[in-house]
Amino acid sequence: MQITSFKQYEEDYKKSVENPEQFWGEVAQNFQWRKPWFKVLSWNFSEPNIKWFEGAKLNITENCLDRHLAANGDKPAIIWEPNNPEEESVTLTYKMLHERVCRFANILKRNGAKKGDRICIYMPMVPELAIAVLACARIGAVHSVVFGGFSAKSIADRINDAQCKLVITADGAYRGNKQIPLKEVIDDALIGCPTVEKCIVLTHIRTPVSMLKGRDVWWEDEVKHVNDICEAEEMDAEDMLFILYTSGSTGKPKGVVHTCGGYMVYAGYTFSNVFNYQPGEVYFCTADIGWITGHSYIVYGPLSQGATSVLFEGIPTYPTPSRFWDIVEKHKVNTLYTAPTAIRSLMSFGDEPLNGKNLSSIRVLGSVGEPINEEAWHWFDEKIGHGKAPIVDTWWQTETGGIMISPIAAVTPTKPSFATLPLPGIQPILVDENGKEIEGNGVMGNLCIKFPWPGMLRTTYGDHERCKQTYFSTYEDLYFTGDGCLRDEDGYYRITGRVDDVLNVSGHRIGTAEVENAINMHAGVVESAVVGYPHDVKGQGIYAFVIYPEMHGEAELSKKDILQTVTRVIGAIAKPDKILFVSGLPKTRSGKIMRRILRKIAEGETSNLGDTSTLLDPGVVEEIIEASKNL
Ligand code: WTA
């Protein structure tokens, strides 16, 4: 199923469009099924109702573990690199990983988990996180991994939305020179989570934690009570595999639902092709398993292909900005898949951290999460790839399950800052505001997808209508991505960024409405409006305009109070970079905030604000512009 020439890509693409069922049916033969499907695809985008590989039975962990044991059992599956480089790294072979997953699956069962139950995972980037994820899949429980940077309230919202029965966590996490008390955060969250019966706690940093009798158990104690034999639960192709919460332009984060069969095929197929993975190579994706990139391209994609996946606990700048390069050298990494924000941050340290580092093992480079600017692309290409490693700029989303538009390494000619061409099976279309197709090349529009692919979301947990409204109602019979896009003269795609009220801060998706809600929860705040602005390292920064008439003490302190509130409500990742106190917001006569104007002011553009004739009170704009100059 690996594409090895551009001609083959073109042929496969053509086939995938002309006869999608045959195409995906053949791809799916490369995986292990307990029972075959009777129908490859049935679908409509109006409900939406999408089913892939109907009738097929499988367990994704048999594809990620069991099927590699005979020939590759002693091959490394996971290489764990700890936060502190002085500590030993850990290698788990496929055999060892299989054994540990089975053990932990038995621990889950011992603690009452069964097929269909939802389990929240809030853990550091340690091998046990991958083990916990796979153990859920082994017994047919649905995992909902929550990134370690979210607050107790965010966790509680997610646990309650999914009605989770169990939580898996650790005492704490290391992040550079900081320690994060994960269990303490979970304890706060669980005060408001009546559905949670058990909490399994891994010892990692060995910080003191409270352990509630009857609810909390230690991972290490539980291990003593189980063996390593655990038959995989037989799952239907369309049974739920996991829920992953992601931000949109309105309301609370949505639980994006992925199912077993289609997701497995898509994650495995795209991993193998996009990175042109070769047996024996070491692959390093720097994402966190708390996000979709970690799900698809640290755990499921690589392991389904028998690859060696590096799992890194720390951050790119600890203890020095050479850390990534040290890891590449130490583990002889062949593929490095990271985010533009990390590249820009490392770039800012100049060439010094690269001195004396042996990066000759690198064969393929990857970028994900946000548009990569040309400067960062060239730096990555020259300094890290030495002009010899193709860069795959991979565009995709939590909802798409896997990479959608991307070069295929060593096959597709690349172009800086272009995600290039759709993968086989993916049919992108650009539309104007009214949903009319924009044909031809050298055009821009809103990016939609007009045909299903196996890895696409099936619903949003507990609220199918919301799934329909968010993705399938903006334009009839199309999946709407929320991204703007350019298609150049060569038919190459370049993603220009979100066209809705979603920000992309350091590759993290954050809804402006969510941040506004959090700020508005601060006592004394009357109203706020949040927009993004260009940020050198983060891609986008968060700019908040806040009405706070009777401040408690000095303005600077009040800003810190607001940051504290946002940290409590959402988590530190959503903290505004800039807060401007204002006496009013620019509104239309019907009371709508004119974000367009605020965006311009946040970008530093103060003269050319466009049409302001519908403003209720133009004076407010003058005042905001003046105040913004002093921020
Ligand atoms: C953005 C991350 C430009 C885009 C996998 C998308 C990108 C959102 C790229 C999804 C890229 C992701 N070039 N923009 N290569 N990759 N994006 O759900 O706006 O965390 O809609 O999934 O990130 O973010 P999410």
Side-chain angles (χ1 to χ4, degrees), residues 112-302:
K114 51 182 196 328
K115 181 175 179 173
D117 286 344
R118 276 81 56 213
I119 298 183
C120 172
I121 303 179
Y122 185 68
M123 287 182 78
M125 278 287 284
V126 291
E128 287 80 1
L129 168 51
I131 291 168
V133 162
L134 291 164
C136 289
R138 187 90 179 163
I139 64 166
V142 176
H143 54 78
S144 164
V145 184
V146 178
F147 174 64
F150 282 112
S151 68
K153 183 179 181 310
S154 292
I155 300 166
D157 287 347
R158 286 158 171 77
I159 289 177
N160 289 331
D161 186 74
Q163 303 271 291
C164 293
K165 190 166 165 186
L166 260 88
V167 173
I168 308 167
T169 189
D171 50 357
Y174 297 113
R175 220 183 128 68
N177 54 18
K178 288 199 203 104
Q179 295 196 4
I180 300 157
L182 298 180
K183 176 62 164 58
E184 208 177 293
V185 181
I186 286 291
D187 287 338
D188 286 344
L190 293 189
I191 291 169
C193 299
T195 58
V196 173
E197 293 167 12
K198 282 287 173 72
C199 177
I200 303 173
V201 186
L202 175 80
T203 308
H204 183 50
I205 66 175
R206 200 53 191 105
T207 182
V209 294
S210 91
M211 293 290 283
L212 207 66
K213 191 182 285 170
R215 186 193 71 186
D216 300 345
V217 295
W218 291 107
W219 181 306
E220 294 79 3
D221 289 344
E222 291 296 297
V223 166
K224 295 177 200 147
H225 301 290
V226 292
N227 65 22
D228 59 2
I229 298 161
C230 179
E231 166 102 20
E233 188 76 32
E234 185 166 286
M235 305 297 284
D236 195 274
E238 283 298 335
D239 277 341
M240 229 188 293
L241 175 63
F242 66 85
I243 306 171
L244 188 57
Y245 285 84
T246 191
S247 295
S249 46
T250 54
K252 281 189 184 170
K254 305 174 278 285
V256 168
V257 170
H258 285 289
T259 56
C260 296
Y263 174 81
M264 170 182 77
V265 169
Y266 199 67
Y269 173 77
T270 51
F271 170 78
S272 165
N273 276 291
V274 170
F275 302 105
N276 183 242
Y277 183 80
Q278 301 302 316
E281 285 192 325
V282 176
Y283 160 91
F284 176 22
C285 168
T286 69
D288 192 290
I289 294 177
W291 307 110
I292 191 69
T293 306
H295 281 60
S296 301
Y297 299 111
I298 295 178
V299 182
Y300 290 117

Side-chain angles (χ1 to χ4, degrees), residues 1-6 8-9 12 269 273 276 408-409 411 424:
M1 71 177 181
Q2 227 172 29
I3 297 168
T4 51
S5 68
F6 194 69
Q8 190 195 343
Y9 160 73
D12 282 14
Y269 173 77
N273 276 291
N276 183 242
I408 293 172
V411 167

Side-chain angles (χ1 to χ4, degrees), residues 105 109 154 158 313-314 335 373 401 458-459 467 553 572 584 602:
K109 287 199 228 166
S154 292
R158 286 158 171 77
E313 181 185 17
T335 300
N373 49 310
R458 301 297 193 265
T459 188
C467 171

